[in-house]
Amino acid sequence: MIMQFLSDRPSEMQSCDHSLRDENRDESQFANPTHLAKHWRATAASAVAIAGTGILIGLPWLFQSCFLLGMIGYTCLIMRAAEQSPLRAASESFACGLIALAIAFHWASNSIFGTTHLSYTMSILVFIGLIVWEAIAFGLLGLASCMLRSKGPRWLWLLVPIWVTIETHWPRIFSWATAHAYLGFPPILQIAEIAGTAGVTAIALMGSVALARYWRFRSSAQAMGEAALAFTMILICCGWGVYAFASWQERIGAASTLRIAAIQVDPTYVESLGKMQQLSDHVSGAADLVLWPESTLGNYSVSLDHFGDEDFTVANSEMPNPALLPYPDLHCDLLAGGKTYEVGQRDQGVYKNTAFLIDRQQSIIGRYVKRSLMPIGEYVPGETWFPVLRDWAAVSDKIVCGTSNMPLELSHGQRVGMLVCYEDMVADNAASSVREGAEVLVALANGSAFKDPDTLRQHLKLAQLRSIENRRAMIRCAATGVTCLIQPDGTITDELPIGEDGVLCKSVPLFDDTTFYTRNGNWVAESATWITLALVPFLLFRGLAPPDSPWSVGH
């Protein structure tokens, strides 16, 4: 045993000697000015690449014409992540996402400060926390790129369903998607009538993967063939989009219409009700339906069925209430936002955000209750466990959501699909109303608490695809903007200036047919989810290739 111990010592000592020499060599490299300079240059180059990628991804949120830069940004993220170790791929991609989200939602810290009881410093910290959380999705995209490359470069095509799955299921306040970066390129958006927002995202990321395959393997005939096939599919989608866009412009011109007047007035101002009445008088006889924004009226009992008797209205509403008779000289149907409470719950602070449809005789002929509540604005995630969050977020009233997706029927029989504020960002809310027969979509919003115009514009961007998905015109009536008309082809043909009182009175086209997306829902996201779930065990339990040869397994 002793001899065996002694015989083993030289090899152990030799091993230790090699280790010491390696450590000394590493230390000498950092001590050497030349090696140290190379190290810092590499670090600086990496930081520039991360920042540049994040900027490319974030810019299309501010400038819609920069959509191609967004595609290049995702290409850079995929290529860098595929050449990294798993940890570095995830961390660098996370950093890219952090930069992109900070650019896209740069207005959020001021909005948080202006709408909550938080200090400005705390508002900035909350903003950082929110974008850190949402940037994890980009980290997962980078990690997936790294893990897929261990199977070979061809596996990178599976990033398309994986990213669609991440975007669909990662919890977030605003339902942003890669598709929204392409609002400046209508042809690619038209696929949304078949595949929804997820379909646009899938086409866009396919382009990024194709660019990555082409750029990395220009000398490989197989890689070039794959990239060419992907680009051909994208061109076919865009070509069909051009045709669909032109076709729908013809249909819009030939469709039957409804004259709708949207009144833009901030309801938080004193005498705002009188201003709305005055502006509504300007379209007397010219409109079939007048819209007033969300939160225009008061709080009423669900038992109130008309505004014709002031004493009856007083008995069935909370005081003070200037809107006991919202519009005495009503010349057509009026659709306006307010709140309702259940019988016996007056002044108890439990409300439903409600849209009231009122006819010329002051009868309430329809009500719609908001189904999807606004996070932080109407409830706070986690408030059940931490009630103090409601105080910090300045959420005082208890709002409960509705369940009905039935359209409101106007006096002359037209069917209006209702969306209140945040709901025009929720794809299923619009689709479910159209499935029930809505011929046009109406969104009432009150964003008066948000002072930055970019906030209001980004809300509009997140709503714009609802029109294409369902091929319905959407008219938005917003307290301070953006009040506008979105056509079924996704174009915004008319809008009022942000922050200015005004009237938008337009002939809005009506349609009653349904799209493939409307009938079948978010089938692309569901299919992508099943594909991703099938991939997870395969990727986790088959091991990863060494990080020093990332692209070497197959071309």
Side-chain angles (χ1 to χ4, degrees):
M1 183 180 295
I2 295 174
M3 293 300 293
Q4 184 179 359
F5 173 78
L6 291 175
S7 66
D8 289 342
R9 293 296 294 168
S11 62
E12 292 181 15
M13 293 176 65
Q14 186 178 11
S15 177
C16 291
D17 185 52
H18 284 308
S19 298
L20 288 171
R21 283 202 299 270
D22 290 341
E23 292 177 6
N24 290 335
R25 184 167 61 251
D26 292 339
E27 291 177 3
S28 64
Q29 286 179 355
F30 283 101
N32 187 318
T34 302
H35 290 296
L36 187 60
K38 288 182 179 179
H39 169 73
W40 283 112
R41 280 198 297 270
T43 302
S46 179
V48 169
I50 292 170
T53 300
I55 291 171
L56 288 173
I57 294 174
L59 275 179
W61 280 91
L62 304 183
F63 309 102
Q64 291 185 356
S65 59
C66 296
F67 59 90
L68 284 179
L69 294 182
M71 180 179 287
I72 294 171
Y74 279 99
T75 300
C76 295
L77 185 150
I78 292 167
M79 289 181 64
R80 282 191 60 82
E83 297 178 352
Q84 307 286 356
S85 65
L87 179 60
R88 188 162 183 176
S91 59
E92 288 196 1
S93 300
F94 166 81
C96 292
L98 202 62
I99 294 170
L101 292 167
I103 293 172
F105 300 106
H106 62 278
W107 46 265
S109 59
N110 287 331
S111 295
I112 293 170
F113 176 66
T115 57
T116 67
H117 292 153
L118 298 175
S119 66
Y120 189 69
T121 300
M122 283 300 299
S123 298
I124 293 175
L125 292 176
V126 170
F127 167 65
I128 292 172
L130 289 174
I131 63 171
V132 163
W133 172 256
E134 301 209 5
I136 295 174
F138 288 89
L140 293 175
L141 176 62
L143 180 61
S145 302
C146 169
M147 297 179 75
L148 287 171
R149 65 95 166 111
S150 70
K151 313 301 176 187
R154 287 188 296 273
W155 286 79
L156 287 175
W157 294 110
L158 290 171
L159 285 174
V160 175
I162 289 174
W163 183 235
V164 169
T165 301
I166 292 171
E167 279 199 342
T168 301
H169 297 290
W170 189 256
R172 53 170 64 105
I173 292 179
F174 298 109
S175 54
W176 61 265
T178 304
H180 295 116
Y182 290 81
L183 292 174
F185 187 50
I188 200 173
L189 299 179
Q190 306 307 311
I191 197 68
E193 78 160 86
I194 298 173
T197 301
V200 180
T201 291
I203 294 297
L205 199 72
M206 184 190 298
S208 295
V209 175
L211 283 175
R213 289 285 283 142
Y214 168 77
W215 185 256
R216 185 62 181 81
F217 296 109
R218 294 187 298 276
S219 60
S220 168
Q222 185 170 358
M224 290 289 288
E226 292 176 14
L229 178 60
F231 285 129
T232 300
M233 293 174 62
I234 294 171
L235 287 174
I236 291 173
C237 288
C238 291
W240 178 83
V242 171
Y243 165 77
F245 186 79
S247 175
W248 272 98
Q249 286 191 323
E250 291 181 6
R251 290 194 62 182
I252 291 168
S256 59
T257 61
L258 179 70
R259 290 287 292 179
I260 301 179
I263 311 300
Q264 180 171 292
V265 172
D266 185 350
T268 62
Y269 290 157
V270 177
E271 302 299 331
S272 61
L273 186 64
K275 183 67 173 179
M276 291 185 198
Q277 294 170 352
Q278 179 183 355
L279 290 174
S280 299
D281 287 339
H282 292 169
V283 293
S284 178
D288 304 306
L289 174 66
V290 171
L291 307 178
W292 290 357
E294 175 193 22
S295 305
T296 298
L297 308 181
N299 304 335
Y300 308 94
S301 169
V302 294
S303 62
L304 182 69
D305 58 1
H306 66 87
F307 289 98
D309 184 338
E310 184 171 320
D311 292 335
F312 181 70
T313 305
V314 170
N316 287 277
S317 63
E318 293 182 350
M319 295 292 113
N321 184 359
L324 295 175
L325 181 57
Y327 191 8
D329 301 321
L330 190 56
H331 48 80
C332 64
D333 289 346
L334 171 66
L335 190 51
K339 291 178 182 176
T340 54
Y341 56 86
E342 294 296 328
V343 176
Q345 294 188 355
R346 180 174 178 172
D347 297 317
Q348 294 184 18
V350 180
Y351 304 103
K352 296 177 182 178
N353 196 335
T354 305
F356 296 84
L357 179 60
I358 309 166
D359 68 8
R360 296 184 186 183
Q361 288 73 42
Q362 305 295 335
S363 295
I364 300 173
I365 60 175
R367 288 189 185 90
Y368 169 81
V369 177
K370 186 177 182 181
R371 291 172 280 162
S372 299
L373 303 184
M374 170 70 180
I376 300 180
E378 292 172 312
Y379 79 98
V380 182
E383 64 181 34
T384 303
W385 297 281
F386 305 101
V388 70
L389 293 176
R390 290 182 61 87
D391 295 332
W392 290 349
V395 178
S396 54
D397 294 337
K398 175 67 176 178
I399 307 294
V400 296
C401 57
T403 57
S404 176
N405 58 5
M406 295 301 296
L408 298 180
E409 186 170 331
L410 305 183
S411 296
H412 297 292
Q414 299 93 340
R415 297 181 300 278
V416 174
M418 280 305 307
L419 303 167
V420 177
C421 195
Y422 178 79
E423 290 186 310
D424 60 7
M425 295 184 272
V426 183
D428 188 59
N429 285 23
S432 63
S433 292
V434 173
R435 282 195 295 270
E436 294 296 336
E439 299 170 278
V440 61
L441 296 173
V442 169
L444 306 183
N446 179 12
S448 57
F450 302 106
K451 305 304 180 184
D452 191 330
D454 285 343
T455 310
L456 304 175
R457 290 232 168 256
Q458 289 205 9
H459 184 175
L460 171 60
K461 291 179 182 179
L462 293 173
Q464 203 168 335
L465 284 173
R466 303 295 82 78
S467 289
I468 303 177
E469 289 168 346
N470 303 285
R471 293 303 187 185
R472 292 293 186 272
M474 178 194 293
I475 186 162
R476 301 180 79 246
C477 178
T480 54
V482 179
T483 296
C484 64
L485 173 60
I486 308 173
Q487 297 289 358
D489 58 13
T491 56
I492 301 172
T493 54
D494 301 276
E495 66 178 85
L496 295 178
I498 291 177
E500 297 182 13
D501 295 344
V503 183
L504 180 68
C505 187
K506 292 295 172 182
S507 295
V508 181
L510 303 177
F511 295 97
D512 58 9
D513 52 345
T514 56
T515 65
F516 186 88
Y517 172 81
T518 302
R519 295 189 299 272
N520 296 279
N522 205 1
W523 63 273
V524 170
E526 292 172 2
S527 302
T529 301
W530 285 112
I531 294 172
T532 302
L533 290 175
L535 279 173
V536 168
F538 180 77
L539 292 177
L540 291 180
F541 298 111
R542 289 290 295 272
L544 295 174
D548 57 349
S549 57
W551 294 79
S552 61
V553 187
H555 287 178

